[in-house]
Amino acid sequence: MKKSILALFLLFISLSYAQPNNRWSAYGFNVSVENEVKLMEHMNEYFSNHKTDGTTVNLYKIMYAPAELQMTHTVVITGSVDSMSENYDMSNIDDEWVEFVTQVDKIVEPVFQGNGGRNFIFEDENKTYPYSVVTILDADNENLRKWRSNTRSLRTKYPRTKSSFSTGWISVGGPANGANAWFVNGYQSYRDYLTSFNDRQKFFKDNPDFVNEREELNEKVDYSKFDMKMKFMRFLVKSW
């Protein structure tokens, strides 16, 4: 039986962490082609006027996904601990909110819900990255911590401009069972996605010190403890 999207939106409250704007909640669902315009209208009407200050709401359309991930769209809400806590405060359930979720509930079929946080992101704030590939994985905490430390160090020392990169953790739920972490590669255009392999090879060739340092750091990580659970590609339809 289809669960009410209102109930799904109320399930997850973010926990405390010092880093600002590093919390997220995500909702995957199916919507028919003929109802996509209605979904956009409902979301635009509500979030253009009632979005919680300090949060960002992103609507993504799924481009490519494995067979087990049967969904057409995701909504991802991000913000700080304070703004996310305010977003999910029960006092915000007013008539406008009830009307919004009632209308949306009529046209969507929920697939998954989840929440978690982001460790860091590398991007050019003056650019947008509407195409993104999401990788969901499960790893033991020790090796995950080492990998993140290595990645942060290398990305800081050897910045890249054509793509973005972010990574974080999954606290509850998500699109794959048993997963506790994720990373996202973002691209400014579909062409950048298609040429990403060649771009990486050129980057490696132009930065031999990066390659050497990465090899040294990778020796400290046991990648046999990493299990990729899922990968899918999405496109940013609209952000509020």
Side-chain angles (χ1 to χ4, degrees), residues 27-41:
Y27 308 89
F29 53 88
N30 282 312
V31 59
S32 62
V33 174
E34 59 268 24
N35 284 323
E36 286 190 33
V37 173
K38 289 183 180 179
L39 174 66
M40 173 64 76
E41 290 176 348

Side-chain angles (χ1 to χ4, degrees), residues 12 48 71 91 100 104 107 114 135 151 164 199 208:
F12 304 102
S48 293
M71 69 177 184
S91 64
F100 166 67
V104 171
I107 59 175
T135 301
T151 302
S164 67
D199 290 338

